Amino acid sequence: MFWILVAVAALAVAIAIDRCQGSRPQKAVDHFVRWAEDVTDTLMKPYFYPELDKHVLFPQGYIAEKSGHTRGSTVDLTLFDMATEKELDMGGTFDFFGQQSHPDFGGNPATQQYVPTEGITAEQFANRMTLRQAMMRHGFKPLDEEWWHFTLRNEPFPDTYFTFPVKN
């Protein structure tokens, strides 16, 4: 049912879903948490959190010990333009931890009003709002810290965190 809703949301904006990350086992989340807790491991800092210290990733909401992804009700996604065969420019790197990733960076999501802001154009903000509105119309709620992150409003397993072995 979940993936049907995602497909319907994609069709509603006449573009395709791209780089979709859905379900992930709690074991994978636990590994990510261990990485985040190791403040000495900063190899990915220039790419994913250049303006933050790693110890703030939990309190600022970028990483959680329990994730909707493990419930099968959360998806990370961006949009793909079928005509140009390219991802839409959303004004920021997917999985980037920082203010630039917040849906309200460059405007007001409630009114979809763009506010000129260094680091995001009106078109990029509009692309974020297209994704956000499509997902919300089809039963998903957004996350305040990430423009690409949506959770099914009426989750079938809101208090369950599934885990299973992951093989190469």
Side-chain angles (χ1 to χ4, degrees):
M1 178 67 160
F2 173 75
W3 292 110
I4 293 170
L5 289 172
V6 171
V8 167
L11 292 172
V13 294
I15 47 185
I17 300 287
D18 194 29
R19 282 198 298 179
C20 187
Q21 297 178 10
S23 185
R24 77 176 59 115
Q26 185 61 45
K27 286 181 178 187
V29 172
D30 292 344
H31 180 74
F32 194 45
V33 166
R34 284 191 299 277
W35 168 83
E37 289 174 338
D38 181 359
V39 295
T40 64
D41 180 355
T42 57
L43 182 65
M44 302 309 290
K45 181 176 176 59
Y47 306 102
F48 296 107
Y49 58 103
E51 298 169 3
L52 298 174
D53 290 328
K54 201 172 187 184
H55 73 277
V56 303
L57 297 180
F58 287 102
Q60 291 189 12
Y62 295 108
I63 298 175
E65 292 183 8
K66 299 291 184 184
S67 168
H69 289 285
T70 65
R71 297 189 301 264
S73 57
T74 296
V75 62
D76 293 344
L77 66 156
T78 190
L79 297 175
F80 186 83
D81 184 325
M82 299 295 285
T84 64
E85 298 183 359
K86 294 181 180 178
E87 285 183 4
L88 294 183
D89 186 350
M90 305 300 260
T93 305
F94 198 74
D95 282 341
F96 182 83
F97 302 139
Q99 288 294 317
Q100 302 92 320
S101 294
H102 292 208
D104 63 356
F105 183 70
N108 182 337
T111 63
Q112 297 186 41
Q113 184 71 35
Y114 173 69
V115 175
T117 305
E118 185 177 337
I120 189 168
T121 67
E123 180 180 5
Q124 293 164 335
F125 182 77
N127 290 342
R128 290 181 180 197
M129 295 303 102
T130 298
L131 173 63
R132 181 184 180 92
Q133 291 305 310
M135 296 303 288
M136 290 173 66
R137 268 194 315 272
H138 293 283
F140 291 84
K141 58 186 175 185
L143 181 70
D144 290 338
E145 293 80 16
E146 301 173 348
W147 57 259
W148 58 83
H149 183 108
F150 298 89
T151 299
L152 194 58
R153 277 195 203 285
N154 297 314
E155 297 182 65
F157 305 102
D159 300 314
T160 303
Y161 300 93
F162 298 101
T163 197
F164 47 87
V166 178
K167 296 182 180 182
N168 293 340

